Amino acid sequence: MMLPAAPENILTADGQPKFGRYAGHVGHFDWHELAPPHARGRWWRRFHHKRWHYVALATPELFCGVAIVDVGWTNTAFAYAFDRRERRIVAEFSQDGVPGLSASVAAHADGASRFRFLSRHISIACVGQRLYRLKLAGAGLAIEAEFGPDLMPLLLAFGPAAGGSVHATQKSTGLPLWGEARCGAARYKLDGGVASFDYSNGLLARHTAWRWASAHSLDVGFNLQAGYFGANENALWLDGQLFALGAAHFNFNPAAPLAPWHIYTDDGLLELHFKPEGARAEDKNLLIAASRYVQPIGTFSGWVRASLDAPKRIVSQLVGVTEDHESRW
């Protein structure tokens, strides 16, 4: 099913959410305007408001993942560069920030997000006409990249969050990429690669878990999630159009995330096999908060289609990631 155009505002005039999946941009995420039964008290909202801005960069040589995360009472950021030929992470950092000072996550997908802690800094910004810029430096890793414009519409997904209140996300499919990444003494050209981004903003439960898969070229891409947000953000980009997908099933061994994965949707529109090349993993326990995270990098092969009566489109070695993530935040 093709998605309808995004509304100008995700809330009605009386504060009720316009739940659904849409194609296009929205420039306003403000949970202060929520009305009952979704509205919560000021202090609950402060500790349950979670926002993140994630960017992926992919070339035949390199895959980079970069994120700025604001969890309401603190913030963090990470970045890594994975050499696909050597099958190893060649540079990375993970940094917790100072609450209220180190991070600023945008109010919408076309805003600017920034993180700075000592010599480590990240900026993600829209610099006009759907053109985006990423600048990063720290711990032997530096990236200067631009990507865009959108060749297919953004996904806007908005719905209830299990155990929390509401959640909204804007995700891109593949965007033309150029720039450079420096990992120690090594330099990697990004020109001709593909970028994608994930901007998410919601009022989430103290304990939140999900599985995720995402991969994109300039003519086909998909986003899948199973967990706190259900099937709300499952979508397929194909030949300039955006389609809703059903519930996603992730068949894999959590104890061996580098073994092959089998991922499919229950509507018969997607079936893929994921072959990991390597992974970034991190376990944190800060007493009052904890997270367990593994993000394998690799390739997807299989097929997708826009409807049950449409021909299957073969997907072959499409670069992307899966993720198994659990947070107490």
Side-chain angles (χ1 to χ4, degrees), residues 102-166:
S102 299
S104 172
V105 176
H108 53 84
D110 284 346
S113 297
R114 296 180 177 86
F115 180 89
R116 181 177 291 274
F117 188 91
L118 300 177
S119 62
R120 299 177 177 185
H121 65 85
I122 302 170
S123 67
I124 304 167
C126 180
V127 293
Q129 300 299 314
R130 305 297 184 221
L131 179 66
Y132 303 89
R133 181 177 295 150
L134 168 67
K135 297 184 73 173
L136 177 153
L141 176 60
I143 299 173
E144 292 194 12
E146 292 191 351
F147 42 97
D150 308 325
L151 302 178
M152 290 186 271
L154 292 189
L155 167 68
L156 167 64
F158 184 30
S165 178
V166 300

Side-chain angles (χ1 to χ4, degrees), residues 54-55 63-67 69 78-80 89 92-94 210 212 254 257 279-284 290-297 321-327:
Y54 171 88
V55 173
F63 186 93
C64 298
V66 179
V69 183
F78 71 79
Y80 69 87
I89 291 176
E92 68 173 321
F93 69 80
S94 177
W210 65 88
W212 179 57
R280 177 184 185 267
E282 186 174 47
D283 287 334
K284 287 185 177 182
S291 68
R292 180 189 56 79
Y293 160 97
V294 59
Q295 187 175 88
I297 304 103
V321 296
T322 55
E323 185 173 286
D324 185 18
H325 196 136
E326 184 174 1
S327 289

